[in-house]
């Protein structure tokens, strides 16, 4: 009986149903976004669709690293007919900058204050339960790798996380892949076999995604050599792993802010800077410092407070006819830290073939370079994508194993002062390890990349040695000063009554070896320069060039014309046997 009663009872009471009333609303179709305006007159309801913009769908909401909120829209690009997603800052919705951004994407936004106010309401009130992470830099985010064109590669899952790249896309076209992996292997990668500098270029490109995974600092290499020697070709080979060099090639001619923006867009990636001689000398030191430091300077925001600070890690391949140190005229501002982060390697492999060790049946280095310059524009971008797919949870351990193998082939560097040579060696080791890990991508035989990059390190070690770079520069400053002035009229005898406006101190040639008493101001300005005084005195003392006195800072007191003054007591440098 109860069941019969329930069946006869209506589920919805008709008396409670309110009659349908047409209300203003937003509608989207393949013709655009409409605001449907409703007019009621004498019980006559009229709906008037008003076109606000080209078609665009709101597919979600997002938040970036700084906590700012975004609306995620999807639209069809007019020219390519491809579906694209873009993040619109909620703080800008309804402002001219918002409409300019949408119009810059090719989306028509109809004029009229009322229409744009309705469109702003649509962007802000459309309900969605889908949420995205908005990122301003490329590289690794939640296990996925974001390319500078916004493409997301997820090596560990079939469905990538919801990420929207909202950073610099000025070179997005450069990251369109061209050609197959097999074509890249046969047309480009195989020529690295037996060519140490090409191995280093490829190793640098493949090492870039491991910088942050292994918690390493940014770094790289500078290929230095004469014009037309093939160093720019090596840079193009590196770029072909990720992009088309015709659109992603960047020269040193720029500003610090521009390079920082580039580094943010290439986070966890490769940054190539070609022809250092095109840069202003004052830019070189500051650029290397800021790019390698991995953080931009704090800047105020127009609405108060500071802008979000960008952070990045990049692997750099630089080229030029000059070294960074030469660009700065050997000043101490190109310090050991910068030199260790961007060590210079001769682009010339020493075989009389420029950057090449072997020509692979080509008639000359110029002919091989011409071929590779063409091939790297035709076949590019595929190798990097396939490489990212190889990187699994065990990849870090595999890379560390290859690094250990590389270091085991080198002389013992643990006792080199301050570990600078070892630090450089570890950077070469990372490039070698990444190239070995990439063997399924490059098609190179096992050990080929390791041997090629070791040759590059051996060449660097032969030129730089295992000593402390700053110590060597300090000693060279002193030697240069003494070579120029030790026997000049800048030094007077203690019994002399005359000096000149370039007076540097006094000479005592009654001593063997001859001793020099250098005026503190001259010593600081011309020998110490930008180094620390205590470090300079320690280095010169170890080399027998400075004799410590009992005055402050180790100075020695001498009397001249009845006045007692303090000087730095020095001797000319005498090299040890074999030094």
């Amino acid at each position: 009986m109860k069941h019969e009663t329930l069946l006869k009872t209506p589920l919805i009471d008709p008396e409670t149903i309110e009659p349908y009333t047409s209300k203003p609303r937003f509608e989207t179709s393949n013709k655009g976004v409409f605001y449907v305006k409703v007019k009621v007159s004498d019980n006559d309801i009229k709906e008037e669709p008003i076109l606000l913009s080209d078609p665009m769908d709101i597919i979600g909401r997002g938040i970036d690293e700084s906590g700012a909120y975004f609306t995620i829209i999807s639209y069809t690009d007019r020219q390519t007919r491809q579906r694209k997603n873009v993040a619109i800052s909620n703080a800008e919705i309804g402002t001219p900058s918002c409409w300019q951004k949408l119009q810059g994407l090719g989306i028509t936004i109809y004029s009229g204050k009322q229409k744009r106010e309705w469109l702003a309401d649509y962007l802000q009130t459309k309900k969605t339960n889908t949420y995205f992470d908005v990122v301003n830099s490329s590289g690794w985010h939640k296990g996925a790798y974001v390319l500078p064109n916004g493409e997301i590669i997820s090596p560990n899952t079939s469905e990538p996380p919801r990420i929207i790249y909202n950073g610099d896309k000025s070179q997005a076209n450069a990251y369109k892949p061209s050609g197959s992996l097999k074509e890249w292997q046969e047309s480009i990668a195989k020529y690295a076999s037996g060519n140490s500098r090409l191995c280093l270029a490829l190793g640098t490109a493949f090492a870039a995604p491991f910088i942050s995974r292994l918690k390493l600092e940014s770094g790289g290499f500078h290929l230095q050599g004469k014009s037309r020697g093939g160093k720019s070709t090596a840079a193009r080979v590196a770029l072909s792993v990720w992009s088309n060099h015709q659109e992603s090639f960047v020269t040193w001619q720029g500003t610090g802010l521009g390079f920082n923006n580039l580094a943010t867009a290439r986070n966890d990636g490769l940054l190539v800077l070609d022809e250092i001689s095109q840069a202003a000398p004052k830019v070189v030191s500051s650029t290397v410092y800021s790019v390698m430091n991995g953080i931009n300077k704090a800047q105020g925001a127009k609405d108060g407070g500071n802008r979000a600070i960008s952070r990045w890690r990049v692997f750099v391949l630089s080229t030029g006819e000059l070294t960074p140190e030469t660009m700065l005229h050997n000043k101490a501002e190109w310090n050991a830290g910068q030199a260790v982060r961007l060590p210079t390697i001769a682009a010339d492999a020493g075989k009389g073939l420029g950057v090449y060790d072997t020509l692979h049946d080509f008639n000359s280095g110029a002919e091989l370079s011409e071929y590779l310059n063409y091939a790297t524009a035709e076949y590019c971008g595929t190798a990097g994508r396939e490489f990212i797919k190889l990187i699994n949870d065990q990849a870090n351990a595999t890379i560390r194993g290859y690094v250990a193998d590389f270091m085991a082939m080198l002389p013992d560097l643990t006792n080199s002062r301050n570990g600078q040579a070892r630090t450089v060696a570890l950077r070469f080791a990372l490039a070698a390890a990444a190239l070995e890990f990439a063997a399924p991508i490059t098609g190179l035989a096992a050990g080929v990349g390791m041997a090629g990059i070791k040759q590059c390190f051996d060449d660097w070690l032969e030129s730089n040695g295992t000593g402390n770079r700053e110590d060597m520069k300090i000693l060279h400053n002193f030697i240069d000063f003494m070579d120029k002035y030790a026997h000049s009229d800048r030094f007077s005898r203690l019994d002399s009554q005359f000096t000149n406006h370039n007076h540097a101190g006094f000479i005592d040639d009654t001593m063997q070896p001859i001793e020099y008493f250098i005026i503190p101001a001259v010593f600081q300005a011309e020998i110490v320069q930008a180094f620390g005084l205590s470090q300079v005195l320690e280095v010169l003392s170890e080399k027998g060039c400075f004799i410590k006195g009992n005055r402050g800072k180790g100075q020695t007191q001498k009397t001249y014309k009845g006045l007692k003054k303090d000087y730095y007591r020095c001797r000319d440098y005498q090299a040890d046997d074999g030094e």
Side-chain angles (χ1 to χ4, degrees):
M1 192 67 183
K2 290 182 180 180
H3 294 292
E4 293 179 1
T5 303
L6 288 172
L7 291 172
K8 292 179 180 179
T9 303
L11 297 176
I12 300 176
D13 185 355
E15 297 296 329
T16 64
I17 300 176
E18 296 183 3
Y20 171 75
T21 302
S22 183
K23 297 179 180 179
R25 61 192 182 276
F26 295 103
E27 292 183 353
T28 59
S29 70
N30 59 2
K31 293 183 180 179
V33 177
F34 293 86
Y35 177 73
V36 180
K37 191 175 182 181
V38 177
K39 291 182 179 181
V40 180
S41 178
D42 298 329
N43 295 323
D44 184 20
I45 299 175
K46 293 183 179 179
E47 295 185 348
E48 180 185 356
I50 301 173
L51 182 60
L52 306 180
S53 72
D54 280 350
M56 56 177 169
D57 298 315
I58 296 175
I59 61 171
R61 305 292 176 184
I63 186 170
D64 70 5
E65 298 97 325
S66 68
Y69 284 82
F70 291 80
T71 294
I72 314 302
I73 69 168
S74 180
Y75 72 101
T76 301
D77 188 280
R78 283 184 172 182
Q79 289 190 341
T80 65
R81 308 310 301 168
Q82 292 180 338
R83 199 70 178 167
K84 296 183 178 181
N85 300 335
V86 66
I88 303 296
S89 170
N90 284 8
E92 294 184 355
I93 290 177
T95 67
S97 61
C98 174
W99 310 135
Q100 289 170 5
K101 180 171 183 176
L102 293 172
Q103 289 171 322
L105 298 172
I107 300 172
T108 298
I109 305 297
Y110 289 95
S111 59
K113 180 180 178 181
Q114 183 64 75
K115 290 181 180 179
R116 296 192 174 191
E117 287 177 352
W118 281 327
L119 185 58
D121 288 341
Y122 166 73
L123 293 172
Q124 294 180 94
T125 61
K126 176 73 173 180
K127 292 184 178 180
T128 175
N129 293 321
T130 304
Y131 293 91
F132 290 78
D133 290 303
V134 179
V135 299
N136 297 315
S137 63
S138 61
W140 294 106
H141 298 279
K142 292 192 171 182
Y145 190 84
V146 182
L147 288 171
N149 63 352
E151 183 180 343
I152 299 170
I153 306 170
S154 186
N156 297 323
T157 60
S158 57
E159 184 177 350
R162 294 191 182 98
I163 295 174
I164 294 291
Y165 175 61
N166 196 43
D168 178 16
K169 292 185 179 179
S170 60
Q171 292 188 325
N173 287 336
Y175 286 83
K176 292 178 180 177
S178 177
S180 67
L181 178 61
K182 186 174 181 60
E183 288 173 320
W184 180 83
Q185 291 172 341
E186 295 180 348
S187 303
I188 299 169
K190 77 174 186 180
Y191 294 101
S193 179
N195 278 314
S196 58
R197 272 54 176 177
L198 296 189
C199 284
L200 182 64
L202 286 178
T204 303
F206 285 119
F210 281 98
I211 293 290
S212 63
R213 290 178 64 92
L214 299 177
K215 305 295 189 277
L216 302 175
E217 295 179 332
S218 298
F221 306 100
H222 178 73
L223 280 178
Q224 181 266 330
K226 62 184 180 180
S227 178
R228 312 301 295 178
K231 56 188 182 295
S232 293
T233 299
R236 293 184 179 101
V237 168
L239 283 171
S240 73
V241 172
W242 301 102
S243 62
N244 187 319
H245 70 79
Q246 292 176 313
E247 297 189 57
S248 61
F249 216 60
V250 179
T251 71
W252 271 92
Q253 190 175 18
T255 65
L257 177 60
F259 289 130
N260 287 353
N261 291 339
L262 271 174
T264 304
R266 307 287 176 84
N267 179 50
D268 293 331
L270 172 70
L271 177 60
V272 169
L273 297 175
D274 193 46
E275 288 303 338
I276 197 171
S277 60
Q278 294 184 15
K282 65 180 181 180
V283 172
V284 174
S285 180
S286 61
T287 295
V288 172
Y289 179 81
S290 63
V291 169
M292 299 303 182
N293 195 40
I295 183 171
N296 65 356
K297 63 182 180 180
Q299 293 178 306
K302 61 183 179 181
D303 54 351
N306 287 332
R307 298 180 186 177
I309 293 178
S310 299
R311 302 176 189 275
W312 59 82
R313 285 186 173 95
V314 292
F315 223 34
V316 177
L317 184 61
S318 167
T319 73
E321 294 182 45
L322 303 175
T323 68
E325 191 172 22
T326 303
M327 286 287 294
L328 294 168
H329 308 295
N330 292 310
K331 292 180 181 177
E333 57 197 85
W334 182 249
N335 57 46
Q338 292 161 312
V340 167
R341 287 190 176 192
L342 193 70
T344 294
I345 304 98
D348 194 321
K351 304 297 175 57
L353 304 173
V355 77
Y356 306 108
D357 301 273
T358 181
L359 296 178
H360 288 277
D361 297 328
F362 283 86
N363 295 319
S364 66
E367 188 176 307
L368 178 53
S369 290
E370 289 171 5
Y371 165 77
L372 287 174
N373 291 339
Y374 166 79
T376 51
E378 289 293 309
Y379 312 111
C380 52
T382 307
R385 286 165 169 79
E386 295 302 318
F387 180 70
I388 292 297
K389 295 175 185 177
L390 287 181
I391 300 176
N392 53 30
D393 294 337
Q394 291 75 45
N396 289 4
T398 303
I399 289 291
R400 289 191 182 100
Y402 284 133
V403 167
D405 292 342
F406 184 90
M407 296 300 290
M409 296 190 295
L410 307 184
D412 183 14
L413 301 173
T414 55
N415 294 322
S416 61
R417 182 164 177 170
N418 292 340
Q420 292 175 5
R422 181 174 174 81
T423 300
V424 173
L426 286 169
R427 186 153 292 118
F428 279 93
L430 176 61
L435 190 53
E436 286 298 313
F437 184 84
I441 305 301
T442 63
L444 295 173
V448 167
M450 192 81 76
I453 293 178
K454 181 180 182 297
Q455 180 180 329
C456 293
F457 175 75
D458 290 343
D459 291 344
W460 176 88
L461 191 64
E462 184 178 352
S463 297
N464 293 270
T466 61
N468 181 286
R469 186 180 182 87
E470 285 188 346
D471 289 359
M472 290 189 290
K473 289 191 68 174
I474 288 169
L475 183 59
H476 288 159
N477 284 350
F478 179 79
I479 292 172
D480 289 345
F481 176 84
M482 297 302 289
D483 284 347
K484 290 179 181 178
Y485 306 121
H487 303 288
S488 73
D489 60 1
R490 291 195 68 184
F491 284 95
S492 305
R493 293 175 58 89
L494 277 170
D495 57 3
S496 173
Q497 297 298 308
F498 301 98
T499 60
N500 56 56
H501 68 284
N502 285 323
H503 185 54
F506 298 93
I507 184 172
D508 185 352
D509 56 8
T510 64
M511 302 292 294
Q512 289 299 323
I514 297 173
E515 293 185 353
Y516 299 83
F517 297 85
I518 303 175
I519 297 171
V522 174
F523 190 87
Q524 181 69 53
E526 301 187 41
I527 297 175
V528 176
Q529 298 183 18
F531 295 106
L533 175 62
S534 60
Q535 181 185 5
V536 172
L537 295 179
E538 180 184 357
V539 171
L540 297 183
S541 179
E542 287 180 357
K543 296 296 183 180
C545 300
F546 170 68
I547 304 168
K548 186 176 181 179
N550 58 8
R551 304 290 294 172
K553 300 178 183 178
Q555 297 174 359
T556 298
Q557 191 175 75
K558 282 289 183 182
T559 302
Y560 177 66
K561 290 186 177 181
L563 295 176
K564 294 181 178 180
K565 291 186 178 181
D566 293 337
Y567 299 90
Y568 287 103
R569 183 183 177 191
C570 300
R571 292 172 177 164
D572 209 346
Y573 174 68
Q574 301 294 322
D576 296 331
D577 292 341
E579 188 170 352

